[in-house]
Amino acid sequence: MPTNFTVVPVEARSDGGGDEAAERTEAPGTPEGPELERPSPGDGNPRENSPFLNNVEVEQESFLEGKNMALFEEEMDSNPMVSSLLNKLANYTNLSQGVVEHEEDEESRRREAKAPRMGTFIGVYLPCLQNILGVILFLRLTWIVGVAGVLESFLIVAMCCTCVSERALTHGHRLVSAAGGSYYMISRSLGPEFGGAVGLCFYLGTTFAGAMYILGTIEIFLTYISPGATIFQAEAVGGEAAAMLHNMRVYGTCTLVLMALVVFVGVKYVNKLALVFLACVVLSILAIYAGVIKSAFDPPDIPVCLLGNRTLSRRSFDVCIKARVVQNGSATSALWGLFCNGSLPSATCDEYFTQNNVTEIQGIPGAASGVFLENLWSAYAQAGAFVEKEGVPSVPVAEESRAGALPYVLTDIAASFTLLVGIYFPSVTGIMAGSNRSGDLRDAQKSIPTGTILAIVTTSFIYLSCIVLFGACIEGVVLRDKFGEALQGNLVIGMLAWPSPWVIVIGSFFSTCGAGLQSLTGAPRLLQAIARDGIIPFLQVFGHGKANGEPTWALLLTVLICETGILIASLDSVAPILSMFFLMCYLFVNLACAVQTLLRTPNWRPRFKYYHWTLSFLGMSLCLALMFICSWYYALSAMLIASCIYKYIEYRGAEKEWGDGIRGLSLNAARYALLRVEHGPPHTKNWRPQVLVMLNLDTEQAVKHPRLLSFTSQLKAGKGLTIVGSVLEGTYLDKHLEAEQAEENIRSLMSAEKTKGFCQLVVSFSLRDGMSHLIQSAGLGGLKHNTVLMAWPASWKQEDNPFSWKNFVDTVRDTTAAHQALLVAKNIDAFPQNQERFSGGHIDVWWIVHDGGMLMLLPFLLCQHKVWRKCRMRIFTVAQVDDNSIQMKKDLQMFLYHLRISAEVEVVEMVENDISAFTYERTLMMEQRSQMLKQMQLSKNEQEREAQLIHDRNTASHTTAAARTQAPPTPDKVQMTWTREKLIAEKHRNKDASLSGFKDLFSMKPEWGNLDQSNVRRMHTAVKLNGVVLSKSQDAQLVLLNMPGPPKNRQGDENYMEFLEVLTEGLNRVLLVRGGGREVITIYS
């Protein structure tokens, strides 16, 4: 068997590669030269050495692979080869954008790999089991069964478990080993606003859950383990509850500090302790089932004392009798002394004590006793009511004033179905324990749903079976005795257990301790994930921690918030609070799943094969119903807190693009709305200026006139469509980097000026074509602009930019052809910023010709903004000689009245008079400049041709004099190389034919009689109207004028700019308005 061979590419054989391969086969160990030492342009990873392959041949093969990939070698820096990424993709790492970024990401992940990584059982199943089988099971489940009955308790547990099961079936499939758990899923599904709001509510719920578990721990310790360890004692009758609350606060604070130190040491130590705590929980549950089995054939002897049908607390007496028989007669018992004012038989006793007998029943009669039917129904009562047994004879008496001082078992709070739901629900919130630590899991997508569902199935069976077993084994009055007072202060569920009540007491104590540690472990990591996302600026400090990633600062804040829950000191008061926060979290998890499904998001691929969006909708509806069932005011408070956080993130938070469902929902809604918007023009009542703002950029890609955006925001006030457009000259391949920079500058300016809209930048070969493209194509479907706003080209007269006016005039023609309105702001740099406020003044409207009502609508819209709010509106119109100015004023006032626009009205009479000398001089200067511009419009080719003709003429003049006298003058020949318009203009001019005529074109000054009379008339109108406007509106804050259209003959374009300049000369702020050819204002609402 040969030990050396070579793999030859098939392509190589077609071009003679076969011979080369034969040579390499004959001498496999011969080096190929320096060519083999070149690095491979492939993935850069060395191939694995094998005893069956010669190293040289492997290098040759690698080199040939590199040649095969030569087509892509220029893209290797930005797009790594698939072979180098497949392993990383399989391990859920993000696809990098380039080789450098990929290597940096790998380095960071290698550092993160030092942290402990857990599997499904330890990382998800056990924490969920420990949190679910905690304080509620051992301290409140028996009381819930006694008060609500077996049927309603079964309903409560089933409803809560169903609610969280809906979430568990769809949750976790999107968690790719990301810290934050449910917050990560919500934020990436519903966006940073929803994610941050619900994430913080979830964090508060988890933190308050830690407080609840700690309070449960202290309650077990002070009530059932060491009652004598209390620091505060009751100073008066009925003060036991207040003293107990103070003890809970002191011991709870100490326990919180101790647990925080354990969590600070590290999560791995919490996990090690969790195994010990969970073993205690398992033993406790096994003891409960063993006690139930034992009670079926050998019930424990646990007597309960009843006075009439009222349950008595046995903390102060031992024997359930009024008097006992002694040798010489009877003697009163300790119970007698509690109800009477003395120990003598003749003492005065409580009336109810006198009228009713004392009986004793078994507190735990066993599973075969038939007590199940008695516990089937609910027994709700008000606070301070007696715990009574039905079916026992009782003689009622008048209302008793000192019932609280007698040894009765009384209800401490008013119970209802909604309250019990709120108290029980925190027990099922333990399913979040695994997802909160998703960043510590090896495979979060697999571990979280699997471990959570297994934990739900396990704990649901335990809870439901315990409800049935408690109802079948324990007497109803004992079930309703929350603190076991009828059992001499023993834990009710512990008295059922076998072999000893201490198994349950110790197990429940360690269970609540472990659940508290789990909450204090998960909550800081959740806050750290929110802080590291940077969506809430003031929380960013809590994203830092120790070198191994432990959230130190987040843990500190968690301890402080948890302390507030401990200061409440009542487990029954804390439980509904955290229920609200968890229910809101579950609601939005289900909403996220439903939104992703309904939007058919390509990245939404749940692993649960039977999943349907109705499943999430059912869970969402159930969560919302449970929120208001538990406590409607707590529900509204939680929603208010979430809304405030949402608005804060929306206003101050960082912009994040996470591909969330809300963005997808917005896109779908936008698409639906655009399809419904008609492509035709809207009704006049719905017309508003949808503005395309034309911005000019300097050489640094910065905006030249930023106040144009300020004016836009003042005009729009955030309503309607605003498109901010600009043009870069050149080709896109050469200018794409400049285009990105310019677009970023424009967006920054829009944000600073609070201009809400879209940015659209075009790279075009010429500025003229780019502006035309924007006017034609900006917008989408029926959502297109109807108004163009631009700045007046103040540099149109400057020598370094002699043709800027042509772009402006062509843009005016484009807007007219597109039936779009045009607004031209002159002296834009003098316009106010958004921070400025006018304390008075006028906005003057000069209504010369009808433009569809634009001149009426614009000042009205401006006055809605705080900058212009205190300005008053004045409308001027011009009356000719034959017009009735008085009637015009009345008609205009009536028109404004119907439009519901408040404005002063004035009619200005313009008397016809002779054209002034100033007008002739301005016209003369204008036409001279026009002639100069025409000469400067000669193209480069024409100039070269003229130079050649001049050279030919000089040559001919030296050869023959006859040709010089017969031929036409040389300037005429020069004129023949001009454009046709120049030739016609030259023929109509009366001047001497001389050799110096060519130079005279740049310095000639026509007399007034040779001026174009149409230009004179237009200049006369501009001068006269400018004088009238200056006399009335020189001090106005803003002047709006009708903008005359450009001439139909393009030869007069340069004159058109001069007319506009003269018309607006001397005014501070001017807005030239040209309508779009349709009515934009109406008297109808």
Side-chain angles (χ1 to χ4, degrees):
M1 181 177 179
T3 57
N4 293 318
F5 63 92
T6 302
V7 180
V8 181
V10 176
E11 294 82 351
R13 296 177 182 176
S14 61
D15 57 357
D19 297 335
E20 297 176 4
E23 294 176 4
R24 287 194 297 269
T25 305
E26 294 175 359
T30 306
E32 289 289 329
E35 188 178 43
L36 292 176
E37 298 177 0
R38 289 184 297 177
S40 172
D43 57 359
N45 295 327
R47 298 297 188 272
E48 182 180 9
N49 293 329
S50 170
F52 301 102
L53 289 175
N54 187 278
N55 292 337
V56 177
E57 294 173 355
V58 173
E59 292 180 0
Q60 293 170 359
E61 181 184 354
S62 302
F63 176 57
L64 289 174
E65 280 190 345
K67 294 176 71 174
N68 290 336
M69 294 294 110
L71 184 61
F72 302 94
E73 63 184 5
E74 294 184 358
E75 302 178 12
M76 291 299 178
D77 291 335
S78 59
N79 299 322
M81 289 185 61
V82 174
S83 59
S84 66
L85 293 182
L86 281 178
N87 181 261
K88 312 325 185 269
L89 291 171
N91 288 283
Y92 304 105
T93 59
N94 292 328
L95 181 61
S96 57
Q97 297 299 317
V99 173
V100 177
E101 293 84 354
H102 179 72
E103 291 177 353
E104 292 176 352
D105 184 66
E106 284 303 302
E107 182 64 26
S108 64
R109 292 189 178 275
R110 279 194 293 270
R111 289 195 299 266
E112 292 178 2
K114 298 177 182 178
R117 295 288 179 175
M118 296 172 289
T120 302
F121 186 74
I122 294 179
V124 180
Y125 182 75
L126 294 186
C128 290
L129 213 63
Q130 187 171 2
N131 280 24
I132 296 174
L133 301 176
V135 60
I136 301 299
L137 173 64
F138 297 114
L139 297 184
R140 293 293 182 268
L141 188 60
T142 54
W143 175 71
I144 291 174
V145 174
V147 173
V150 174
L151 292 180
E152 291 188 19
S153 300
F154 205 94
L155 177 62
I156 291 172
V157 174
M159 186 165 54
C160 294
C161 290
T162 302
C163 176
V164 298
S165 298
E166 302 283 354
R167 191 204 68 86
L169 288 175
T170 56
H171 179 53
H173 304 297
R174 299 192 62 183
L175 299 176
V176 189
S177 298
S182 292
Y183 157 74
Y184 182 86
M185 178 185 179
I186 295 172
S187 60
R188 271 57 178 181
S189 299
L190 297 181
E193 294 86 3
F194 275 110
V198 181
L200 276 184
C201 289
F202 181 39
Y203 163 73
L204 292 175
T206 307
T207 305
F208 275 100
M212 183 190 71
Y213 294 131
I214 293 175
L215 290 175
T217 303
I218 303 307
E219 181 178 316
I220 294 172
F221 177 74
L222 294 179
T223 305
Y224 306 114
I225 296 179
S226 180
T230 56
I231 300 175
F232 300 93
Q233 303 294 332
E235 298 179 355
V237 178
E240 293 84 358
M244 186 64 177
L245 293 180
H246 292 314
N247 289 313
M248 297 278 283
R249 293 184 180 104
V250 173
Y251 279 96
T253 302
C254 297
T255 306
L256 174 62
V257 173
L258 182 61
M259 288 186 176
L261 291 176
V262 174
V263 174
F264 178 77
V265 172
V267 65
K268 60 181 180 180
Y269 299 103
V270 175
N271 293 327
K272 291 179 180 179
L273 290 174
L275 294 176
V276 178
F277 295 152
L278 186 62
C280 297
V281 174
V282 173
L283 289 176
S284 300
I285 294 173
L286 293 177
I288 293 173
Y289 285 114
V292 170
I293 296 173
K294 179 179 178 296
S295 69
F297 56 86
D298 184 16
D301 183 18
I302 304 176
V304 175
C305 187
L306 299 179
L307 177 62
N309 65 349
R310 299 177 182 177
T311 309
L312 297 179
S313 173
R314 301 195 68 163
R315 291 181 181 270
S316 303
F317 66 93
D318 296 328
V319 183
C320 185
I321 56 175
K322 292 184 178 181
R324 61 181 181 274
V325 179
V326 295
Q327 294 180 356
N328 296 328
S330 62
T332 58
S333 65
L335 184 61
W336 181 280
L338 295 175
F339 282 91
C340 303
N341 58 3
S343 59
L344 298 176
S346 60
T348 303
C349 298
D350 181 74
E351 184 178 0
Y352 188 85
F353 180 77
T354 305
Q355 297 294 329
N356 290 274
N357 296 324
V358 174
T359 58
E360 199 171 54
I361 62 173
Q362 286 297 320
I364 302 179
S369 63
V371 75
F372 180 78
L373 296 178
E374 298 178 9
N375 295 328
L376 207 57
W377 311 107
S378 61
Y380 298 111
Q382 296 299 318
F386 299 104
V387 177
E388 299 175 338
K389 178 174 173 56
E390 295 183 2
V392 176
S394 174
V395 179
V397 296
E399 185 176 352
E400 303 164 81
S401 59
R402 54 188 294 267
L406 299 176
Y408 291 120
V409 178
L410 305 176
T411 57
D412 60 334
I413 58 175
S416 63
F417 180 80
T418 58
L419 176 69
L420 297 183
V421 172
I423 292 176
Y424 172 77
F425 189 81
S427 65
V428 297
T429 59
I431 65 167
M432 309 296 282
S435 60
N436 288 350
R437 301 158 64 184
S438 57
D440 298 323
L441 300 175
R442 280 195 299 268
D443 187 357
Q445 289 198 55
K446 177 183 177 182
S447 297
I448 289 178
T450 304
T452 304
I453 292 174
L454 287 177
I456 289 176
V457 171
T458 304
T459 54
S460 297
F461 171 78
I462 293 174
Y463 272 106
L464 294 175
S465 61
C466 284
I467 288 174
V468 176
L469 296 177
F470 291 164
C473 297
I474 305 175
E475 182 62 52
V477 292
V478 178
L479 290 173
R480 293 192 294 276
D481 183 6
K482 182 186 294 185
F483 301 106
E485 295 181 7
L487 306 179
Q488 297 181 339
N490 291 314
L491 185 61
V492 174
I493 195 173
M495 302 304 292
L496 176 63
W498 181 87
S500 170
W502 285 100
V503 176
I504 296 296
V505 173
I506 300 300
S508 61
F509 178 80
F510 284 113
S511 172
T512 51
C513 281
L517 284 173
Q518 297 290 347
S519 296
L520 291 179
T521 301
R525 281 161 172 73
L526 178 59
L527 179 62
Q528 186 183 44
I530 299 173
R532 285 181 173 176
D533 276 341
I535 58 176
I536 304 177
F538 67 86
L539 289 182
Q540 291 186 1
V541 65
F542 299 106
H544 305 293
K546 294 192 294 185
N548 60 353
E550 291 294 323
T552 307
W553 293 106
L555 176 62
L556 179 61
L557 180 63
T558 302
V559 170
L560 294 178
I561 297 175
C562 189
E563 177 64 19
T564 62
I566 289 176
L567 293 178
I568 296 175
S570 174
L571 190 149
D572 297 327
S573 300
V574 173
I577 297 176
L578 62 99
S579 294
M580 292 301 111
F581 292 131
F582 279 120
L583 280 169
M584 182 172 293
C585 176
Y586 299 158
L587 185 149
F588 280 98
V589 168
N590 285 287
L591 175 63
C593 298
V595 166
Q596 297 282 10
T597 306
L598 291 176
L599 292 178
R600 291 182 171 87
T601 305
N603 198 42
W604 171 243
R605 299 179 295 273
R607 296 184 186 274
F608 184 55
K609 61 184 298 185
Y610 301 108
Y611 170 75
H612 193 263
W613 68 268
T614 53
L615 197 66
S616 295
F617 187 79
L618 175 64
M620 181 180 66
S621 304
L622 193 56
C623 289
L624 186 62
L626 281 176
M627 288 180 67
F628 286 92
I629 286 174
C630 294
S631 175
W632 64 268
Y633 47 88
Y634 276 166
L636 293 179
S637 300
M639 290 181 175
L640 179 62
I641 293 173
S643 301
C644 293
I645 298 173
Y646 178 93
K647 296 305 293 182
Y648 175 80
I649 296 174
E650 187 179 47
Y651 179 68
R652 294 292 303 275
E655 291 289 336
K656 297 288 183 179
E657 177 53 58
W658 287 332
D660 51 86
I662 293 298
R663 301 291 176 93
L665 185 63
S666 301
L667 289 175
N668 271 18
R671 171 183 170 274
Y672 176 77
L674 283 174
L675 291 175
R676 289 184 59 87
V677 173
E678 298 180 1
H679 286 275
H683 193 274
T684 304
K685 291 190 294 185
N686 296 326
W687 195 94
R688 66 170 66 241
Q690 317 284 12
V691 182
L692 169 62
V693 186
M694 294 288 196
L695 294 181
N696 293 327
L697 303 175
D698 58 18
T699 55
E700 302 296 330
Q701 316 307 332
V703 178
K704 286 185 178 179
H705 304 293
R707 297 201 180 191
L708 202 60
L709 286 181
S710 302
F711 183 72
T712 303
S713 61
Q714 295 161 20
L715 181 65
K716 301 286 294 177
K719 303 296 188 298
L721 174 68
T722 300
I723 302 175
V724 180
S726 187
V727 180
L728 281 181
E729 289 188 275
T731 60
Y732 186 72
L733 289 179
D734 298 331
K735 296 284 187 178
H736 67 278
L737 294 178
E738 290 87 342
E740 292 176 0
Q741 181 62 42
E743 189 169 350
E744 182 64 28
N745 294 341
I746 293 175
R747 291 187 189 278
S748 299
L749 182 61
M750 291 174 65
S751 176
E753 297 293 341
K754 297 181 179 179
T755 303
K756 297 184 180 298
F758 308 98
C759 176
Q760 188 166 352
L761 191 136
V762 173
V763 180
S764 179
F765 184 73
S766 67
L767 188 66
R768 165 74 189 90
D769 291 341
M771 297 180 72
S772 178
H773 294 160
L774 280 175
I775 293 174
Q776 295 177 60
S777 61
L780 181 63
L783 193 64
K784 294 180 67 69
H785 63 279
N786 53 30
T787 305
V788 177
L789 172 62
M790 59 191 304
W792 172 262
S795 62
W796 73 276
K797 284 186 176 182
Q798 297 179 5
E799 295 181 358
D800 59 343
N801 193 14
F803 301 118
S804 62
W805 55 269
K806 286 191 66 66
N807 292 330
F808 176 80
V809 177
D810 288 339
T811 302
V812 176
R813 287 195 174 98
D814 287 343
T815 56
T816 303
H819 302 289
Q820 296 173 4
L822 177 64
L823 309 178
V824 179
K826 190 177 181 185
N827 301 327
I828 183 61
D829 294 329
F831 276 58
Q833 293 181 328
N834 291 329
Q835 295 79 16
E836 299 180 32
R837 303 287 184 274
F838 287 129
S839 58
H842 297 90
I843 299 178
D844 288 354
V845 177
W846 285 85
W847 194 16
I848 312 301
V849 295
H850 182 57
D851 58 353
M854 281 285 291
L855 284 171
M856 307 293 179
L857 184 62
L858 292 177
F860 171 77
L861 294 176
L862 283 175
C863 287
Q864 308 304 309
H865 196 272
K866 50 192 174 182
V867 173
W868 306 89
R869 189 166 294 161
K870 294 185 180 180
C871 296
R872 290 184 298 170
M873 181 177 169
R874 294 190 302 188
I875 299 181
F876 298 90
T877 188
V878 177
Q880 302 296 325
V881 177
D882 299 332
D883 296 329
N884 186 342
S885 59
I886 299 177
Q887 186 62 38
M888 285 179 62
K889 183 173 183 179
K890 290 181 179 180
D891 293 341
L892 183 54
Q893 288 175 337
M894 182 59 65
F895 179 57
L896 293 176
Y897 173 77
H898 288 308
L899 290 177
R900 299 174 297 283
I901 293 178
S902 176
E904 300 177 20
V905 175
E906 186 172 344
V907 178
V908 179
E909 296 181 351
M910 289 186 65
V911 181
E912 289 194 12
N913 51 15
D914 294 336
I915 300 175
S916 64
F918 175 74
T919 301
Y920 281 111
E921 285 297 329
R922 287 298 294 261
T923 308
L924 177 61
M925 293 171 59
M926 178 185 71
E927 291 198 352
Q928 285 179 343
R929 186 176 187 279
S930 175
Q931 289 296 328
M932 292 177 63
L933 290 174
K934 286 182 179 180
Q935 295 300 324
M936 295 174 66
Q937 288 178 3
L938 292 173
S939 66
K940 184 177 180 180
N941 292 334
E942 291 174 331
Q943 293 175 10
E944 292 177 353
R945 288 160 58 189
E946 288 217 16
Q948 182 64 36
L949 285 175
I950 293 173
H951 179 270
D952 295 342
R953 181 203 60 183
N954 293 332
T955 302
S957 64
H958 288 293
T959 55
T960 173
R964 191 167 56 245
T965 56
Q966 295 177 0
T970 302
D972 290 343
K973 293 183 179 179
V974 175
Q975 289 288 337
M976 291 303 292
T977 64
W978 296 355
T979 60
R980 183 183 178 187
E981 290 80 4
K982 294 178 183 178
L983 179 61
I984 295 174
E986 188 66 20
K987 284 182 178 180
H988 287 82
R989 304 187 61 181
N990 186 12
K991 68 179 186 115
D992 295 334
S994 63
L995 295 176
S996 61
F998 177 74
K999 297 180 180 179
D1000 291 338
L1001 287 174
F1002 292 90
S1003 60
M1004 59 185 176
K1005 295 182 179 181
E1007 298 296 331
W1008 289 358
N1010 295 331
L1011 294 175
D1012 189 334
Q1013 292 304 307
S1014 63
N1015 287 340
V1016 174
R1017 290 195 306 272
R1018 290 188 176 92
M1019 183 62 73
H1020 175 65
T1021 303
V1023 172
K1024 189 70 180 294
L1025 190 56
N1026 175 257
V1028 174
V1029 173
L1030 280 177
S1031 64
K1032 299 289 185 180
S1033 303
Q1034 190 168 12
D1035 296 330
Q1037 303 290 5
L1038 179 65
V1039 177
L1040 284 83
L1041 274 169
N1042 280 117
M1043 181 179 180
K1048 295 181 179 179
N1049 185 1
R1050 292 179 178 268
Q1051 290 181 354
D1053 286 355
E1054 62 275 8
N1055 299 335
Y1056 173 68
M1057 297 295 292
E1058 189 71 31
F1059 294 145
L1060 295 181
E1061 189 73 54
V1062 173
L1063 179 63
T1064 58
E1065 199 169 33
L1067 297 174
N1068 186 22
R1069 303 184 192 92
V1070 183
L1071 185 67
L1072 296 173
V1073 180
R1074 181 164 175 78
R1078 58 160 296 163
E1079 295 294 327
V1080 300
I1081 194 169
T1082 178
I1083 64 174
Y1084 302 105
S1085 298

